[in-house]
Amino acid sequence: QQMIEGFEYYRRFAHDECGWDPTPDEMGIIGPTYVSASDASARAEAEEHVLAHHEELANLISGGPLREFTQRRLSDRSYAYRSAGSGDERRPEAADYATLARQRYYIGSPDTVVRRIQQRQKELGVGLFAPVTPFGSMEPPQALKSVELFAREAPSFGDELGRDSLGNEVRIALDETGPERIRAEHRR
């Protein structure tokens, strides 16, 4: 709910204060993402990293340097758009894997991850998604394997969701120079 209210506020502010109506292509979200052959294998491969990532973030927010920084940058207006009871979405209701995966992560088979991203984009009215990987204790080779699988098994993801503000198709593709590099491919 908090994210929905945040994007609604952003659209109103952009319209009222700036005379601009942002389109879905001009707004997006990020999220820790992990793709494997099946939902079960994705959970088995990513669960420890999700829990480690949550612990890292909880420590930063609850008393570390990020809390102090956040407190200094906030104003009375910072979250005035929130409805009563919308809460702090950064704090999940529980720290178990299932809750964390449902609230903040995009983990599963290629089809599951594409469905989750599309669902979230529809809920929020945004068109862009930037995966965050690696996260937590995940090593880069494991993250790379996930990204390669996603690019290979979900090629329609770019066709369905990837349009830049000029209407050009944007697809995620592996770079010919090597599997360790990823590029966005633009087509008219």
Side-chain angles (χ1 to χ4, degrees):
Q1 182 62 28
Q2 179 185 350
M3 286 184 73
I4 292 169
E5 290 175 358
F7 278 105
E8 287 171 355
Y9 173 77
Y10 178 77
R11 286 182 189 94
R12 276 193 317 274
F13 186 89
H15 178 81
D16 296 347
E17 301 295 324
C18 305
W20 174 58
D21 293 312
T23 67
D25 288 350
E26 297 164 324
M27 296 183 297
I29 55 174
I30 65 170
T33 305
Y34 187 79
V35 178
S36 189
S38 69
D39 292 347
S41 64
R43 179 178 181 158
E45 295 164 14
E47 185 169 3
E48 72 180 277
H49 308 299
V50 167
L51 296 173
H53 188 239
H54 169 72
E55 185 67 26
E56 290 170 3
L57 293 177
N59 289 337
L60 284 171
I61 292 169
S62 66
L66 186 58
R67 179 182 178 88
E68 190 177 308
F69 170 76
T70 300
Q71 294 303 319
R72 284 194 319 262
R73 71 175 177 80
L74 294 179
S75 71
D76 292 338
R77 193 176 99 166
S78 294
Y79 294 105
Y81 62 85
R82 287 187 189 168
S83 63
S86 67
D88 185 349
E89 199 171 278
R90 293 175 306 169
R91 285 270 189 226
E93 56 199 56
D96 63 279
Y97 172 82
T99 301
L100 293 168
R102 182 181 68 251
Q103 290 181 350
R104 304 167 181 221
Y105 293 81
Y106 300 85
I107 295 174
S109 69
D111 289 340
T112 296
V113 171
V114 167
R115 254 192 328 274
R116 288 248 6 254
I117 293 168
Q118 289 173 329
Q119 173 189 4
R120 198 67 166 148
Q121 287 176 312
K122 185 177 179 181
E123 286 172 3
L124 300 172
V126 301
L128 304 174
F129 177 79
V132 174
T133 189
F135 53 85
S137 55
M138 186 179 297
E139 293 292 327
Q142 182 180 356
L144 177 61
K145 183 178 167 188
S146 168
V147 170
E148 289 175 334
L149 175 65
F150 195 49
R152 196 171 48 252
E153 297 297 322
S156 65
F157 180 70
D159 292 337
E160 293 174 22
L161 300 176
R163 298 272 175 203
D164 66 18
S165 60
L166 300 176
N168 298 318
E169 175 184 326
V170 178
R171 296 185 61 203
I172 295 174
L174 295 178
D175 193 318
E176 296 88 16
T177 61
E180 68 279 353
R181 299 176 71 130
I182 300 169
R183 64 182 164 84
E185 183 178 283
H186 297 271
R187 297 181 185 160
R188 290 193 187 259

